[in-house]
Amino acid sequence: MPELVVTALLAPSRLSLKLLRAFMWSLVFSVALVAAAVYGCIAFTHVLCRPRRGCCGRRRSACPACLSDPSLGEHGFLNLQSSGLRLHYVSAGQGNGPLMLFLHGFPENWFSWRYQLREFQSRFHVVAVDLRGYGPSDAPRDVDCYTIDLLLVDIKDVILGLGYSKCILVAHDWGALLAWHFSIYYPSLVERMVVVSGAPMSVYQDYSLHHISQFFRSHYMFLFQLPWLPEKLLSMSDFQILKTALTHHKTGIPRLTPNELEAFLYNFSQPGGLTGPLNYYRNLFRNFPLEPQELATPTLLLWGEKDTYLEQGLVEAISSRFVPGRLEAHILPGMGHWIPQSNPQEMHQYMWAFLQDLLD
């Protein structure tokens, strides 16, 4: 068929897709402006209530002692083959078994896996990485450096760079989103997955279009589409919005000590420390609309019954995309979003049972 004819036949579909994306972006930025107004009021209220903290975040000069706890493992850096970036990681139990690679979420870092690093180092080589843009890892400034495709290549380079051909991937929140995609595009590198509080983006997209309440739970991600303003609002009154997210008595991480809180705030307080993590969100809508994808990697999915940010209905939506028999899903009563830190013992019990056959 002549190329001109093919182009003419495809023109209506291409135009429809462009119009759909234009409508989507206009809607996203409209909601982003509303979210900015709401978060602006919250941020300025914090400043008025705590005037001594001022309108900017205080830069931390000393690294919290808990980030150097030797029981968690040894610190190292890995130069990635594809991008040349240098990522920071903490490793323990080398030589004790298969690679167990941990991917954190936002606003977290490798330290969010402290309980799991201690628990599993006796039978696995456990590695918790600071994803690009986080902590001491390299943090390119350009938004285009944080696309899903590039982040997935980072994970591949970490696995191969550590000398392994496959791993057990354990992920939470944003790390979970990356893990789902990684299992689709690099299935040979993933032996098992443990996913906590996170859905594949295509599932999240379809579910949210039919359940507008999920959009309200994720309102913050619309704010993060804007340039520079989210960084400013999150840092006001010495990062009070982030502090509240992590320590709130109902929705935060229970029993988080002041020193542990500083372990998360330390790197965010450095110049440009928030831009890299927020650039993840600024790429969320780049490939909209997403096609449904079948999931096949043997996976343990843990979900908090009282998750503030993600509805329980997403678990059933995820299950519907799986090859039968490959997913073990549990909704944990009374638990929230931060299961690896808030309920590590329960998480560990499910993980040991799920991985037992690999150890026999």
Side-chain angles (χ1 to χ4, degrees), residues 102-209:
F102 297 95
L103 306 178
H104 63 79
F106 175 85
E108 299 175 291
N109 55 34
W110 74 266
F111 185 70
S112 59
W113 299 110
R114 56 197 177 279
Y115 298 107
Q116 290 71 41
L117 288 171
R118 292 192 184 101
E119 177 74 13
F120 294 99
Q121 62 181 266
S122 62
R123 301 298 300 274
F124 298 91
H125 178 197
V126 291
V127 176
V129 65
D130 273 324
L131 297 169
R132 71 161 70 187
Y134 283 85
S137 293
D138 285 347
R141 298 287 296 181
D142 194 338
V143 175
D144 291 338
C145 292
Y146 294 87
T147 63
I148 295 290
D149 291 345
L150 293 176
L151 297 171
L152 297 186
V153 173
D154 284 357
I155 299 170
K156 179 201 72 169
D157 286 348
V158 168
I159 295 169
L160 299 179
L162 290 170
Y164 291 85
S165 59
K166 58 185 177 180
C167 74
I168 297 159
L169 203 54
V170 185
H172 174 249
D173 189 75
W174 244 105
L177 187 154
L178 295 177
W180 287 120
H181 283 269
F182 191 80
S183 70
I184 294 168
Y185 293 106
Y186 299 96
S188 64
L189 296 180
V190 187
E191 187 169 15
R192 297 281 179 89
M193 284 207 307
V194 178
V195 175
V196 188
S197 308
M201 198 57 205
S202 60
V203 174
Y204 178 90
Q205 168 195 275
D206 292 348
Y207 181 87
S208 298
L209 291 174

Side-chain angles (χ1 to χ4, degrees), residues 26-300:
S26 64
L27 183 62
V28 166
F29 282 111
S30 296
V31 178
L33 293 175
V34 174
V38 172
Y39 275 92
C41 292
I42 294 172
F44 280 105
T45 299
H46 288 316
V47 171
L48 292 175
C49 293
R50 304 169 180 84
R52 291 187 177 181
R53 293 185 182 179
C55 291
C56 298
R58 173 177 59 85
R59 180 178 179 180
R60 275 70 173 164
S61 57
C63 185
C66 58
L67 290 178
S68 302
D69 185 344
S71 71
L72 299 178
E74 297 180 355
H75 293 252
F77 286 88
L78 191 65
N79 292 312
L80 303 185
Q81 182 177 4
S82 301
S83 65
L85 295 179
R86 193 175 75 142
L87 296 192
H88 169 257
Y89 67 91
V90 173
S91 168
Q94 187 169 5
N96 290 347
L99 172 64
M100 181 180 285
L101 181 63
F102 297 95
L103 306 178
H104 63 79
F106 175 85
E108 299 175 291
N109 55 34
W110 74 266
F111 185 70
S112 59
W113 299 110
R114 56 197 177 279
Y115 298 107
Q116 290 71 41
L117 288 171
R118 292 192 184 101
E119 177 74 13
F120 294 99
Q121 62 181 266
S122 62
R123 301 298 300 274
F124 298 91
H125 178 197
V126 291
V127 176
V129 65
D130 273 324
L131 297 169
R132 71 161 70 187
Y134 283 85
S137 293
D138 285 347
R141 298 287 296 181
D142 194 338
V143 175
D144 291 338
C145 292
Y146 294 87
T147 63
I148 295 290
D149 291 345
L150 293 176
L151 297 171
L152 297 186
V153 173
D154 284 357
I155 299 170
K156 179 201 72 169
D157 286 348
V158 168
I159 295 169
L160 299 179
L162 290 170
Y164 291 85
S165 59
K166 58 185 177 180
C167 74
I168 297 159
L169 203 54
V170 185
H172 174 249
D173 189 75
W174 244 105
L177 187 154
L178 295 177
W180 287 120
H181 283 269
F182 191 80
S183 70
I184 294 168
Y185 293 106
Y186 299 96
S188 64
L189 296 180
V190 187
E191 187 169 15
R192 297 281 179 89
M193 284 207 307
V194 178
V195 175
V196 188
S197 308
M201 198 57 205
S202 60
V203 174
Y204 178 90
Q205 168 195 275
D206 292 348
Y207 181 87
S208 298
L209 291 174
H210 293 91
H211 300 82
I212 194 66
S213 55
Q214 179 56 57
F215 272 123
F216 286 104
R217 286 178 180 246
S218 305
H219 54 277
Y220 56 89
M221 74 178 184
F222 293 97
L223 168 69
F224 296 165
Q225 302 307 308
L226 300 174
W228 69 263
L229 182 60
E231 286 92 328
K232 179 63 177 177
L233 295 178
L234 292 183
S235 64
M236 290 176 70
S237 191
D238 197 31
F239 304 95
Q240 185 57 46
I241 290 178
L242 290 181
K243 288 179 180 177
T244 301
L246 292 169
T247 63
H248 190 275
H249 68 284
K250 289 185 177 180
T251 60
I253 304 169
R255 303 174 299 279
L256 191 69
T257 68
N259 195 246
E260 290 171 338
L261 175 61
E262 286 299 309
F264 296 117
L265 296 180
Y266 171 73
N267 290 299
F268 291 138
S269 76
Q270 306 307 309
L274 280 168
T275 298
L278 293 181
N279 280 342
Y280 283 61
Y281 289 93
R282 290 171 178 139
N283 280 287
L284 267 178
F285 299 100
R286 176 182 289 252
N287 297 317
F288 177 89
L290 295 168
E291 293 293 329
Q293 296 161 314
E294 187 176 60
L295 303 168
T297 301
T299 300
L300 170 65

